[in-house]
Amino acid sequence: MAGLQDTTIDALYTLEETIAGEIFQGATYPWEVLPQIGGFILSLGNRLPRDRYEQRGENVWIAKSARVFSSAYINGPAIIDEEAEIRHCAFIRGNAIVGKGAVVGNSTELKNVILFNKVQAPHYNYVGDSILGYKAHMGAGSITSNVKSDKTLVAVKAGEERYETGLRKFGAMLGDCVEVGCNSVLNPGTVIGRQSNVYPTSMVRGFIPAGSIYKKDGEIVEKY
């Protein structure tokens, strides 16, 4: 039966696939590091090798091999890793780590996030207070909703277990290779296990086990 053990850092992520691996040390659940992202970027940015990264503006470090379109806006603290692509009119509001080979696309907005290597958020996405694992993909128009409508603190629910995060802002934790369909909404506190798929136009909340297909509320099936 699914439980909080399935929402841990080890269960969701390959830490070798992010420049931010250090931030997870000593934590059990990934959402524990959300308040630390800004400070971690400031520490890591000052240690990045100058032959491969350059500082552009205040507290913004961009790999020399990354491609940043002139119309993109990047506010610090932020790190854009090697061979990442920040496309036309992307809006990075700060406290953002964009992994190697990741894509932040047209009119996509990031805020307080870690995008592992090869993540794609390519079209009209909002990703806030969230962590997206290796090769996770956000379909066009899909978003992470990071504040509850009643503004109460976010809890994570997995099976019969519940974890009170103490966070008012918490979007979604996507494991490695998660595929989110177009125009889906991931409600605050959503956790999706590795290799899972979410159907387009879904409204998701709670925990989706690894290797699953989320078709609609109450209909989750195994992929294999």
Side-chain angles (χ1 to χ4, degrees):
M1 179 179 291
L4 288 172
Q5 75 276 0
D6 301 305
T7 69
T8 63
I9 294 164
D10 290 343
L12 295 172
Y13 301 115
T14 303
L15 296 185
E16 292 78 15
E17 292 293 348
T18 176
I19 197 172
E22 293 176 36
I23 197 174
F24 296 98
Q25 293 179 5
T28 300
Y29 301 103
W31 54 83
E32 295 173 1
V33 310
L34 289 176
Q36 305 169 26
I37 294 174
F40 176 80
I41 292 171
L42 295 177
S43 172
L44 178 59
N46 288 312
R47 293 184 276 125
L48 293 173
R50 294 299 181 253
D51 61 329
R52 291 160 49 202
Y53 299 84
E54 58 185 0
Q55 187 170 355
R56 302 186 194 175
E58 186 175 0
N59 301 324
V60 176
W61 291 270
I62 299 178
K64 295 179 180 180
S65 62
R67 184 182 183 191
V68 179
F69 284 54
S70 60
S71 59
Y73 178 85
I74 304 175
N75 187 54
I79 293 174
I80 311 301
D81 207 351
E82 295 175 306
E83 299 181 355
E85 188 169 310
I86 312 299
R87 292 178 177 167
H88 175 69
C89 291
F91 179 28
I92 298 178
R93 288 171 50 192
N95 292 353
I97 298 173
V98 178
K100 288 180 174 63
V103 174
V104 181
N106 175 33
S107 301
T108 290
E109 179 179 347
L110 304 183
K111 173 254 179 187
N112 201 48
V113 297
I114 299 174
L115 272 53
F116 277 52
N117 300 343
K118 302 288 188 180
V119 165
Q120 293 195 342
H123 312 287
Y124 305 103
N125 305 110
Y126 174 72
V127 186
D129 300 285
S130 299
I131 300 174
L132 276 56
Y134 175 60
K135 285 189 174 180
H137 175 253
M138 299 284 287
S142 61
I143 65 169
T144 64
S145 174
N146 61 337
V147 179
K148 295 173 65 176
S149 59
D150 61 5
K151 308 300 188 293
T152 57
L153 301 180
V154 178
V156 173
K157 301 174 184 177
E160 298 300 317
E161 297 183 283
R162 178 185 176 98
Y163 186 103
E164 301 291 344
T165 69
L167 300 171
R168 190 176 70 87
K169 293 187 177 182
F170 173 174
M173 304 288 120
L174 272 57
D176 294 344
C177 301
V178 166
E179 292 277 344
V180 178
C182 297
N183 290 324
S184 292
V185 176
L186 308 181
N187 284 284
T190 294
V191 181
I192 303 179
R194 299 177 191 241
Q195 303 281 349
S196 288
N197 292 54
V198 173
Y199 270 18
T201 70
S202 296
M203 186 170 66
V204 185
R205 67 178 68 251
F207 172 65
I208 310 302
S212 297
I213 299 174
Y214 181 97
K215 296 186 175 183
K216 60 182 180 180
D217 188 24
E219 188 175 357
I220 302 172
V221 299
E222 294 183 5
K223 290 177 70 173
Y224 310 110

